[in-house]
Amino acid sequence: FGFLPSVCLVTYIVFFFILKSIGTRAFFKCGYLSGSLNIPEGVVDIQQVAFTGCKSLTGSLSLPSTLIYIGNDDQGNYENIDYSCGTFADCGFVGELNIPEGVKEIRGYAFDNCKGFYGNLKLPNNLEKLGERSFFLCKNLTGTLTIPQKIKIIPNECFTGCGFDGTLTLPNGITSIGNSAFGDCHFKGELSLPKDLRIINNDVFYNNDFSGELKLPEQLSVIGERAFAYNWRLMGI
């Protein structure tokens, strides 16, 4: 290993199978790490900023079936934490992103600006929390997207600028959708809004390609600026 101030010169790394956790900023901006990243079975959590800025990791990302948390902190505290760098933000991975079924939380900025991921994104059925900008500008993700039943709030910019070109399925338990959560995606087909939805913030469905009849839930109390702007094929009363 060789180090310069704020620059890590490691070019490759092999993880041992006794590994359980990867800590905060463990490989932050290790710009010379290259190839694929294979996290071994047994790892339960990968903490915030662990691999942020590893732009030369241009192979695939393989996550273990044992993984539960993406982006938590050392003490398990989730309030008032700066997630502005995420866990894998600004990495150069290329390939499909397969998130293990056991993952319960994906914290803010986790895959922010990971433009090399492509194909469908299947979120785990056990997923309970999504953070802001979790998949911001993952522009080569395509196909449909189904939000899991346990998600109640979709935060700001969660999927902004993703390339989805299929349908969007939202469960009835969702009560609030944050600013630009699905803005500048390319969703098609009918937009069915959850019956419990109360808040649609600014730019939530901005510049998509939804069609069919738009029905607003009875409990809806807020419709933000440009919430449905440029969905020119929406119709109905």
Side-chain angles (χ1 to χ4, degrees):
F1 294 80
F3 296 94
L4 288 176
S6 76
V7 178
C8 179
L9 298 181
V10 181
T11 58
Y12 70 93
I13 188 167
V14 177
F15 289 117
F16 295 103
F17 284 92
I18 60 172
L19 193 65
K20 301 298 181 185
S21 174
I22 299 176
T24 301
R25 292 180 170 83
F27 300 95
F28 177 59
K29 290 193 175 180
C30 288
Y32 290 94
L33 280 176
S34 59
S36 297
L37 178 60
N38 185 2
I39 308 294
E41 290 294 316
V43 172
V44 174
D45 71 318
I46 306 172
Q47 295 169 12
Q48 57 175 325
V49 205
F51 294 95
T52 293
C54 295
K55 296 180 181 296
S56 295
L57 286 175
T58 54
S60 61
L61 171 64
S62 178
L63 300 173
S65 63
T66 52
L67 190 63
I68 299 176
Y69 306 106
I70 299 176
N72 60 317
D73 73 326
D74 292 293
Q75 289 76 38
N77 300 316
Y78 302 129
E79 301 300 328
N80 301 317
I81 296 173
D82 179 11
Y83 289 106
S84 60
C85 291
T87 303
F88 299 102
D90 291 319
C91 285
F93 297 114
V94 174
E96 295 187 357
L97 175 59
N98 296 311
I99 300 175
E101 190 59 33
V103 171
K104 292 183 178 180
E105 297 185 5
I106 299 175
R107 306 303 297 183
Y109 296 73
F111 299 99
D112 183 359
N113 206 34
C114 288
K115 298 177 181 178
F117 288 127
Y118 58 76
N120 292 334
L121 174 64
K122 184 180 185 302
L123 297 176
N125 291 326
N126 289 320
L127 191 65
E128 298 173 357
K129 291 183 180 179
L130 280 167
E132 291 190 4
R133 292 179 60 138
S134 297
F135 299 93
F136 183 80
L137 288 185
C138 291
K139 63 180 183 179
N140 287 312
L141 293 176
T142 57
T144 63
L145 178 66
T146 298
I147 303 298
Q149 290 286 338
K150 295 181 180 180
I151 297 293
K152 305 302 180 186
I153 296 174
I154 300 177
N156 297 337
E157 299 181 318
C158 195
F159 299 97
T160 303
C162 289
F164 300 115
D165 53 4
T167 58
L168 173 64
T169 301
L170 302 171
N172 282 325
I174 292 176
T175 59
S176 175
I177 306 178
N179 294 330
S180 193
F182 301 103
D184 278 319
C185 294
H186 302 90
F187 287 113
K188 299 177 181 178
E190 187 173 353
L191 174 60
S192 180
L193 297 175
K195 65 179 182 180
D196 298 323
L197 187 61
R198 293 177 172 83
I199 299 173
I200 299 175
N201 281 296
N202 299 341
D203 302 298
V204 168
F205 301 108
Y206 177 90
N207 199 29
N208 277 271
D209 196 24
F210 291 112
S211 60
E213 185 177 6
L214 176 63
K215 297 179 180 179
L216 300 179
E218 291 185 3
Q219 299 186 66
L220 190 65
S221 60
V222 174
I223 300 176
E225 297 178 6
R226 300 172 301 276
F228 299 95
Y230 296 104
N231 287 276
W232 64 275
R233 294 199 294 168
L234 286 176
M235 63 183 69
I237 297 174

PDB file of all heavy atoms in Angstrom, residues 13 16 65 84 90 112-113 128 146 158 164 167 170 173 176-177 191 197:
ATOM      1  N   ILE A  13      -7.358  -5.086  -4.560  1.00  0.00           N
ATOM      2  CA  ILE A  13      -7.528  -5.560  -3.195  1.00  0.00           C
ATOM      3  C   ILE A  13      -8.284  -6.870  -3.209  1.00  0.00           C
ATOM      4  O   ILE A  13      -9.164  -7.076  -4.058  1.00  0.00           O
ATOM      5  CB  ILE A  13      -8.267  -4.503  -2.336  1.00  0.00           C
ATOM      6  CG1 ILE A  13      -8.274  -4.926  -0.864  1.00  0.00           C
ATOM      7  CG2 ILE A  13      -9.683  -4.268  -2.832  1.00  0.00           C
ATOM      8  CD1 ILE A  13      -8.694  -3.806   0.056  1.00  0.00           C
ATOM      9  N   PHE A  16     -11.004 -10.970   2.515  1.00  0.00           N
ATOM     10  CA  PHE A  16     -11.078 -12.286   3.133  1.00  0.00           C
ATOM     11  C   PHE A  16     -12.519 -12.599   3.522  1.00  0.00           C
ATOM     12  O   PHE A  16     -13.322 -11.704   3.770  1.00  0.00           O
ATOM     13  CB  PHE A  16     -10.165 -12.337   4.374  1.00  0.00           C
ATOM     14  CG  PHE A  16      -8.713 -12.200   4.042  1.00  0.00           C
ATOM     15  CD1 PHE A  16      -8.050 -11.004   4.256  1.00  0.00           C
ATOM     16  CD2 PHE A  16      -8.007 -13.261   3.493  1.00  0.00           C
ATOM     17  CE1 PHE A  16      -6.701 -10.873   3.945  1.00  0.00           C
ATOM     18  CE2 PHE A  16      -6.663 -13.128   3.184  1.00  0.00           C
ATOM     19  CZ  PHE A  16      -6.012 -11.937   3.404  1.00  0.00           C
ATOM     20  N   SER A  65     -25.228 -12.059  -0.568  1.00  0.00           N
ATOM     21  CA  SER A  65     -26.611 -12.316  -0.157  1.00  0.00           C
ATOM     22  C   SER A  65     -26.839 -11.968   1.308  1.00  0.00           C
ATOM     23  O   SER A  65     -27.986 -11.799   1.744  1.00  0.00           O
ATOM     24  CB  SER A  65     -26.965 -13.782  -0.397  1.00  0.00           C
ATOM     25  OG  SER A  65     -26.158 -14.634   0.406  1.00  0.00           O
ATOM     26  N   SER A  84     -23.634  13.081   1.684  1.00  0.00           N
ATOM     27  CA  SER A  84     -23.400  13.752   0.414  1.00  0.00           C
ATOM     28  C   SER A  84     -22.432  12.994  -0.488  1.00  0.00           C
ATOM     29  O   SER A  84     -22.280  13.339  -1.642  1.00  0.00           O
ATOM     30  CB  SER A  84     -22.871  15.167   0.660  1.00  0.00           C
ATOM     31  OG  SER A  84     -21.655  15.125   1.378  1.00  0.00           O
ATOM     32  N   ASP A  90     -20.274   7.932  -7.646  1.00  0.00           N
ATOM     33  CA  ASP A  90     -19.224   8.311  -8.599  1.00  0.00           C
ATOM     34  C   ASP A  90     -18.240   7.184  -8.896  1.00  0.00           C
ATOM     35  O   ASP A  90     -17.107   7.438  -9.314  1.00  0.00           O
ATOM     36  CB  ASP A  90     -18.444   9.533  -8.106  1.00  0.00           C
ATOM     37  CG  ASP A  90     -19.290  10.795  -8.121  1.00  0.00           C
ATOM     38  OD1 ASP A  90     -20.038  10.985  -9.088  1.00  0.00           O
ATOM     39  OD2 ASP A  90     -19.210  11.580  -7.164  1.00  0.00           O
ATOM     40  N   ASP A 112     -25.291   7.243  -6.343  1.00  0.00           N
ATOM     41  CA  ASP A 112     -25.375   8.532  -7.035  1.00  0.00           C
ATOM     42  C   ASP A 112     -24.351   8.610  -8.168  1.00  0.00           C
ATOM     43  O   ASP A 112     -23.166   8.362  -7.984  1.00  0.00           O
ATOM     44  CB  ASP A 112     -25.107   9.631  -6.000  1.00  0.00           C
ATOM     45  CG  ASP A 112     -25.240  11.042  -6.565  1.00  0.00           C
ATOM     46  OD1 ASP A 112     -25.518  11.190  -7.759  1.00  0.00           O
ATOM     47  OD2 ASP A 112     -25.067  11.995  -5.788  1.00  0.00           O
ATOM     48  N   ASN A 113     -24.856   8.949  -9.363  1.00  0.00           N
ATOM     49  CA  ASN A 113     -23.985   9.212 -10.512  1.00  0.00           C
ATOM     50  C   ASN A 113     -23.196   7.983 -10.959  1.00  0.00           C
ATOM     51  O   ASN A 113     -22.116   8.106 -11.534  1.00  0.00           O
ATOM     52  CB  ASN A 113     -23.031  10.365 -10.199  1.00  0.00           C
ATOM     53  CG  ASN A 113     -22.579  11.096 -11.452  1.00  0.00           C
ATOM     54  OD1 ASN A 113     -23.326  11.238 -12.418  1.00  0.00           O
ATOM     55  ND2 ASN A 113     -21.343  11.558 -11.450  1.00  0.00           N
ATOM     56  N   GLU A 128     -36.895  -1.384   3.292  1.00  0.00           N
ATOM     57  CA  GLU A 128     -37.737  -0.556   4.152  1.00  0.00           C
ATOM     58  C   GLU A 128     -37.466   0.934   4.001  1.00  0.00           C
ATOM     59  O   GLU A 128     -38.359   1.748   4.243  1.00  0.00           O
ATOM     60  CB  GLU A 128     -37.523  -0.951   5.625  1.00  0.00           C
ATOM     61  CG  GLU A 128     -37.907  -2.395   5.923  1.00  0.00           C
ATOM     62  CD  GLU A 128     -37.544  -2.815   7.334  1.00  0.00           C
ATOM     63  OE1 GLU A 128     -36.934  -1.985   8.071  1.00  0.00           O
ATOM     64  OE2 GLU A 128     -37.846  -3.961   7.705  1.00  0.00           O
ATOM     65  N   THR A 146     -40.521  -1.307  -9.780  1.00  0.00           N
ATOM     66  CA  THR A 146     -41.545  -1.556  -8.765  1.00  0.00           C
ATOM     67  C   THR A 146     -40.996  -1.174  -7.402  1.00  0.00           C
ATOM     68  O   THR A 146     -39.955  -1.693  -6.983  1.00  0.00           O
ATOM     69  CB  THR A 146     -41.964  -3.041  -8.759  1.00  0.00           C
ATOM     70  OG1 THR A 146     -42.526  -3.386 -10.034  1.00  0.00           O
ATOM     71  CG2 THR A 146     -42.996  -3.304  -7.674  1.00  0.00           C
ATOM     72  N   CYS A 158     -34.604  10.695  -5.667  1.00  0.00           N
ATOM     73  CA  CYS A 158     -34.202   9.293  -5.485  1.00  0.00           C
ATOM     74  C   CYS A 158     -33.843   8.620  -6.808  1.00  0.00           C
ATOM     75  O   CYS A 158     -32.855   7.885  -6.886  1.00  0.00           O
ATOM     76  CB  CYS A 158     -35.337   8.541  -4.794  1.00  0.00           C
ATOM     77  SG  CYS A 158     -34.857   6.943  -4.125  1.00  0.00           S
ATOM     78  N   PHE A 164     -35.278   4.693 -17.060  1.00  0.00           N
ATOM     79  CA  PHE A 164     -36.389   3.741 -17.111  1.00  0.00           C
ATOM     80  C   PHE A 164     -37.309   4.035 -18.301  1.00  0.00           C
ATOM     81  O   PHE A 164     -37.713   5.173 -18.516  1.00  0.00           O
ATOM     82  CB  PHE A 164     -37.207   3.804 -15.824  1.00  0.00           C
ATOM     83  CG  PHE A 164     -36.419   3.491 -14.587  1.00  0.00           C
ATOM     84  CD1 PHE A 164     -36.217   4.461 -13.615  1.00  0.00           C
ATOM     85  CD2 PHE A 164     -35.866   2.240 -14.388  1.00  0.00           C
ATOM     86  CE1 PHE A 164     -35.494   4.178 -12.464  1.00  0.00           C
ATOM     87  CE2 PHE A 164     -35.140   1.954 -13.245  1.00  0.00           C
ATOM     88  CZ  PHE A 164     -34.945   2.924 -12.284  1.00  0.00           C
ATOM     89  N   THR A 167     -42.877   0.708 -17.116  1.00  0.00           N
ATOM     90  CA  THR A 167     -43.903   1.227 -16.233  1.00  0.00           C
ATOM     91  C   THR A 167     -43.354   1.437 -14.816  1.00  0.00           C
ATOM     92  O   THR A 167     -42.329   0.887 -14.445  1.00  0.00           O
ATOM     93  CB  THR A 167     -45.108   0.281 -16.168  1.00  0.00           C
ATOM     94  OG1 THR A 167     -44.669  -1.012 -15.728  1.00  0.00           O
ATOM     95  CG2 THR A 167     -45.758   0.161 -17.537  1.00  0.00           C
ATOM     96  N   LEU A 170     -46.249   1.802  -7.872  1.00  0.00           N
ATOM     97  CA  LEU A 170     -46.135   2.395  -6.544  1.00  0.00           C
ATOM     98  C   LEU A 170     -47.129   1.719  -5.610  1.00  0.00           C
ATOM     99  O   LEU A 170     -48.327   1.697  -5.902  1.00  0.00           O
ATOM    100  CB  LEU A 170     -46.421   3.903  -6.606  1.00  0.00           C
ATOM    101  CG  LEU A 170     -45.533   4.735  -7.537  1.00  0.00           C
ATOM    102  CD1 LEU A 170     -46.078   6.155  -7.650  1.00  0.00           C
ATOM    103  CD2 LEU A 170     -44.098   4.765  -7.025  1.00  0.00           C
ATOM    104  N   GLY A 173     -49.109   1.988   0.242  1.00  0.00           N
ATOM    105  CA  GLY A 173     -48.641   2.504   1.523  1.00  0.00           C
ATOM    106  C   GLY A 173     -47.839   3.788   1.447  1.00  0.00           C
ATOM    107  O   GLY A 173     -47.583   4.425   2.473  1.00  0.00           O
ATOM    108  N   SER A 176     -45.787   9.971   0.842  1.00  0.00           N
ATOM    109  CA  SER A 176     -45.127  11.193   0.394  1.00  0.00           C
ATOM    110  C   SER A 176     -44.057  10.863  -0.643  1.00  0.00           C
ATOM    111  O   SER A 176     -43.333   9.875  -0.504  1.00  0.00           O
ATOM    112  CB  SER A 176     -44.489  11.914   1.589  1.00  0.00           C
ATOM    113  OG  SER A 176     -43.752  13.048   1.170  1.00  0.00           O
ATOM    114  N   ILE A 177     -43.966  11.712  -1.674  1.00  0.00           N
ATOM    115  CA  ILE A 177     -42.944  11.556  -2.706  1.00  0.00           C
ATOM    116  C   ILE A 177     -42.187  12.874  -2.804  1.00  0.00           C
ATOM    117  O   ILE A 177     -42.778  13.932  -3.017  1.00  0.00           O
ATOM    118  CB  ILE A 177     -43.546  11.178  -4.069  1.00  0.00           C
ATOM    119  CG1 ILE A 177     -44.428   9.926  -3.942  1.00  0.00           C
ATOM    120  CG2 ILE A 177     -42.433  10.926  -5.085  1.00  0.00           C
ATOM    121  CD1 ILE A 177     -45.102   9.508  -5.236  1.00  0.00           C
ATOM    122  N   LEU A 191     -50.145   5.892 -15.001  1.00  0.00           N
ATOM    123  CA  LEU A 191     -49.599   6.255 -13.697  1.00  0.00           C
ATOM    124  C   LEU A 191     -50.684   6.040 -12.654  1.00  0.00           C
ATOM    125  O   LEU A 191     -51.657   6.794 -12.589  1.00  0.00           O
ATOM    126  CB  LEU A 191     -49.133   7.710 -13.693  1.00  0.00           C
ATOM    127  CG  LEU A 191     -48.666   8.266 -12.342  1.00  0.00           C
ATOM    128  CD1 LEU A 191     -47.481   7.468 -11.803  1.00  0.00           C
ATOM    129  CD2 LEU A 191     -48.307   9.742 -12.457  1.00  0.00           C
ATOM    130  N   LEU A 197     -51.545   8.306  -0.663  1.00  0.00           N
ATOM    131  CA  LEU A 197     -50.613   9.396  -0.978  1.00  0.00           C
ATOM    132  C   LEU A 197     -51.194  10.745  -0.563  1.00  0.00           C
ATOM    133  O   LEU A 197     -52.317  11.096  -0.921  1.00  0.00           O
ATOM    134  CB  LEU A 197     -50.315   9.392  -2.479  1.00  0.00           C
ATOM    135  CG  LEU A 197     -49.233  10.347  -2.968  1.00  0.00           C
ATOM    136  CD1 LEU A 197     -47.891  10.027  -2.322  1.00  0.00           C
ATOM    137  CD2 LEU A 197     -49.111  10.275  -4.492  1.00  0.00           C
TER     138      LEU A 197
END
